[in-house]
Amino acid sequence: QVQLVESGGGYVHTGGSLNLSCAGRGFPFSDFAMKWYRQRLGMERELVAGISKTGSSLFGDFVEGRFAMSRDNAKSTVFLQMNSLKPEDTAVYYCHARRGWSYGAEYWGKGILVTVSS
C-alpha cells in the first residue's frame, strides 16, 4: 500500500522556520519525482517545490529563495526547509510523488497544516 506521510508542520511566528518531512512507503521512491504543493484557504492548490529523481529542484515564484528541498533516497524521505516564513505561507502542505515530472502514476499525502502568525 502506497503511503506518503507528512510531518513537521505547526505554528510559527513571521520570520520563523519549519522543516517539513515526507516519508514514502510502498513504491520505488528513488524512481519518483517528489513535489510539495500547498492549498491556502479559499484558493487552488499550487506547486511549492519539486525535486527530480536526479536531485534537480525547482520552486514556485513566491518562494523567492526562502525554501530548500532535498531528498534522502536511503530513507525514502523528502524535506522542505522553509525559512523567513510569512503569514501568506499559511496553508495545508501536501506531499506528492509521481514517476515522471508530469506523467505516470501519482500519489498524494493527506496534508499537514502550517500556520504563520503575523
Side-chain angles (χ1 to χ4, degrees), residues 10 13 18 20-21 24 28 34-36 38 42 51 59-60 66 69 71 76-77 80 85 87 100 107 115 118:
H13 294 291
L18 285 173
L20 303 184
S21 300
M34 302 296 296
K35 297 175 182 176
W36 287 96
R38 73 182 187 185
I51 189 165
F59 300 89
R66 299 178 296 129
M69 187 172 181
R71 66 189 298 160
S76 298
T77 302
L80 182 68
L85 284 163
Y107 309 110
T115 303
S118 58

Side-chain angles (χ1 to χ4, degrees), residues 34-112:
M34 302 296 296
K35 297 175 182 176
W36 287 96
Y37 286 82
R38 73 182 187 185
Q39 188 163 19
R40 294 182 285 173
L41 190 63
M43 302 185 72
E44 294 188 355
R45 198 170 293 190
E46 60 185 345
L47 178 66
V48 178
I51 189 165
S52 71
K53 292 178 283 188
T54 58
S56 299
S57 57
L58 61 77
F59 300 89
D61 290 342
F62 58 85
V63 171
E64 298 175 324
R66 299 178 296 129
F67 300 173
M69 187 172 181
S70 60
R71 66 189 298 160
D72 183 341
N73 288 335
K75 297 181 178 179
S76 298
T77 302
V78 290
F79 305 94
L80 182 68
Q81 175 66 42
M82 303 189 295
N83 301 319
S84 302
L85 284 163
K86 306 173 183 180
E88 52 264 44
D89 292 318
T90 295
V92 177
Y93 285 72
Y94 297 90
C95 184
H96 176 269
R98 200 165 195 178
R99 186 173 287 277
W101 192 255
S102 57
Y103 63 90
E106 61 181 327
Y107 309 110
W108 289 92
K110 293 182 179 180
I112 192 163

